[in-house]
Amino acid sequence: MPDSYPQRPHSPSGQTDAATLLLCGARLADGRTVDVRLGGGRIEAVGTAGSLAAGTSRALAAKVDLNGYLLLPAPAEPHAHSDTALTADDAGPLAYDAQEVQRRATEAALLQLGHGATALRSHVRVGDVQGLDALAAVLQARRSLRGLVDLTAVAMPRVLTGVAGADGLAMLRDAVKMGASVVGGCPDADPDPTGYVEAILELASEHGCPIDLHTDGADPARLARLAAVAGGLRHGVTLGPCGGLSRLPAETASRAADQLAAAGVTVVCLPQGGCGAVERHGTAPVRLLRAAGVTVAAGSGALRDVSNPVGRGDPLEAAYLLASRYGLRPEDAYGAVSCAARAALGLPEVRLEAGFPAELLAVRGDRLAGALSLAYSRLVVHRGCVVARTSAVREYCNSAAAAELDLPRQGRGEPS
């Protein structure tokens, strides 16, 4: 069993060749045990265990033994804050030195990749003290991480209305030119929230950008106005974390959910806690939103910053909380951090079927509920290549009880 990751062979030009990777003996969520052949960044074939050989003229990069692992579509992280991540222990004002922002953005992305997220959307503040420097640093981290994880940036100006808003709007336009592919921010913090949303919608339509806004969602009239103007936006609107919806009367919240569903607005909830842009006031009513037909994704939010000093950045923890605290079935909870999260990011769907993107997560275990509870050992596949691996070993002392009961343990055998 090789100790290193299976690597893609490279051509003399430096481009990655389409090598074949064979995942052997993996269990799927429906209970089947299969082999999965990957090539060209996609799933080439899925067959019963032992039935697939390399079967192509291309080089076979490696075989990976996934016996004892559950194979799933990889999760995505739809709500990260890379510019402020991992700063909870920093003394004094938050540092926005470009090199420091790039370092923590890179470290945070790799931490989330290790948990399984092969795509991340990071909300980055622009304007004020940091200007565009934090965004430039996050975009540099994105370039350095290419091939490991897909990182996109949301530009977040503070104010977009009035005299101060002119500078914010100019800064936002510059951010889009720099490479921010999504526009957003927190209209609740602007003196004119409606004007803020209108400015964002106008710029998004002009540049063909998706919109991702922070809002507590506690003002149903504001949500109704946003839904009314968002319905015609071709590139999509995402709101989060919308914890205030859970504090509204049931009838009012239900009406707001219907309006969001009719407008095609996606809601990203943060079951692990809030983030710096919106105070922590609970989690959006996910079951009510889903019943109305709203696409509900789940994100991690703050990652060890002033908003949440113990954030993990683990999509499976978000799914675990949706199942344990908010009553979703494990399959639906995992869907919120995988299929729905990828849809929120505008990414193609992933299924364990031929032709779909090879964005996969293998977790030690045989059922999804167990994987969400004790997902220690993981193997992550991005664009058809193993890009991260975490191995955990659980052992018990040599006691009569342990021997007699044959207690479960995380074995030393790793996917290889």
Side-chain angles (χ1 to χ4, degrees):
M1 297 187 296
D3 293 329
S4 60
Y5 299 115
Q7 300 291 327
R8 299 183 188 138
H10 287 73
S11 66
S13 66
Q15 298 297 315
T16 301
D17 289 327
T20 301
L21 179 65
L22 192 61
L23 308 178
C24 304
R27 179 178 288 257
L28 303 185
D30 61 12
R32 288 180 295 152
T33 300
V34 299
D35 289 350
V36 180
R37 191 173 67 228
L38 313 178
R42 292 191 169 270
I43 298 172
E44 286 191 342
V46 178
T48 56
S51 67
L52 297 183
T56 72
S57 59
R58 301 192 307 276
L60 176 63
K63 291 183 179 181
V64 179
D65 182 3
L66 290 182
N67 180 44
Y69 279 72
L70 184 68
L71 188 62
L72 303 164
E77 175 50 72
H79 195 114
H81 287 272
S82 302
D83 55 337
T84 59
L86 308 174
T87 58
D89 295 330
D90 293 357
L94 184 62
Y96 278 101
D97 173 75
Q99 187 173 1
E100 175 61 20
V101 173
Q102 182 182 345
R103 182 199 64 77
R104 62 193 184 220
T106 302
E107 183 178 350
L110 290 174
L111 176 65
Q112 291 167 307
L113 173 65
H115 291 316
T118 61
L120 312 171
R121 175 179 282 183
S122 175
H123 297 255
V124 184
R125 296 176 185 271
V126 298
D128 298 331
V129 175
Q130 63 269 35
L132 292 171
D133 291 346
L135 175 63
V138 172
L139 293 176
Q140 182 58 41
R142 179 187 69 180
R143 289 187 285 271
S144 69
L145 290 164
R146 188 171 290 128
L148 289 174
V149 60
D150 293 331
L151 173 63
T152 58
V154 184
M156 289 180 56
R158 185 175 62 85
V159 177
L160 289 179
T161 64
V163 176
D167 289 339
L169 194 56
M171 191 77 68
L172 184 57
R173 292 183 184 278
D174 289 341
V176 173
K177 293 176 183 177
M178 284 178 59
S181 55
V182 187
V183 292
C186 185
D188 299 356
D190 192 287
D192 179 5
T194 299
Y196 188 106
V197 170
E198 290 174 349
I200 286 286
L201 286 166
E202 181 178 352
L203 190 141
S205 297
E206 177 184 341
H207 292 276
C209 296
I211 291 174
D212 197 329
L213 294 171
H214 287 67
T215 182
D216 186 47
D219 186 333
R222 191 179 300 167
L223 281 179
R225 288 193 297 269
L226 194 154
V229 296
L233 192 71
R234 182 165 58 89
H235 296 279
V237 176
T238 299
L239 298 181
C242 294
L245 272 174
S246 62
R247 302 192 301 277
L248 295 175
E251 183 177 344
T252 304
S254 180
R255 184 164 53 249
D258 289 338
Q259 293 165 340
L260 294 175
V265 173
T266 296
V267 171
V268 174
C269 66
L270 302 177
Q272 293 157 299
C275 61
V278 178
E279 293 185 16
R280 301 172 69 179
H281 288 306
T283 297
V286 293
R287 296 177 68 181
L288 181 147
L289 289 166
R290 284 169 52 87
V294 177
T295 297
V296 178
S300 299
L303 175 57
R304 296 186 215 160
D305 64 15
V306 68
S307 303
N308 186 4
V310 294
R312 294 182 182 175
D314 184 355
L316 268 63
E317 183 186 34
Y320 162 81
L321 290 171
L322 288 178
S324 66
R325 187 177 297 176
Y326 300 103
L328 267 62
R329 297 185 311 125
E331 294 77 12
D332 294 332
Y334 189 74
V337 301
S338 55
C339 297
R342 287 183 61 85
L345 271 56
L347 297 172
E349 183 182 9
V350 174
R351 296 184 193 172
L352 268 298
E353 300 175 14
F356 284 86
E359 303 289 322
L360 306 171
L361 170 64
V363 183
R364 183 173 284 280
D366 59 1
R367 284 179 174 77
L368 186 56
L372 296 185
S373 303
L374 294 171
Y376 297 134
S377 296
R378 308 183 192 187
L379 181 139
V380 186
V381 174
H382 175 50
R383 299 186 182 180
C385 183
V386 176
V387 292
R389 180 168 58 190
T390 302
S391 298
V393 176
R394 170 178 293 148
E395 296 181 313
Y396 298 91
C397 63
N398 294 324
S399 68
E404 180 179 349
L405 297 175
D406 191 23
L407 293 177
R409 53 179 267 172
Q410 294 272 351
R412 292 189 178 275
E414 301 176 1
S416 57

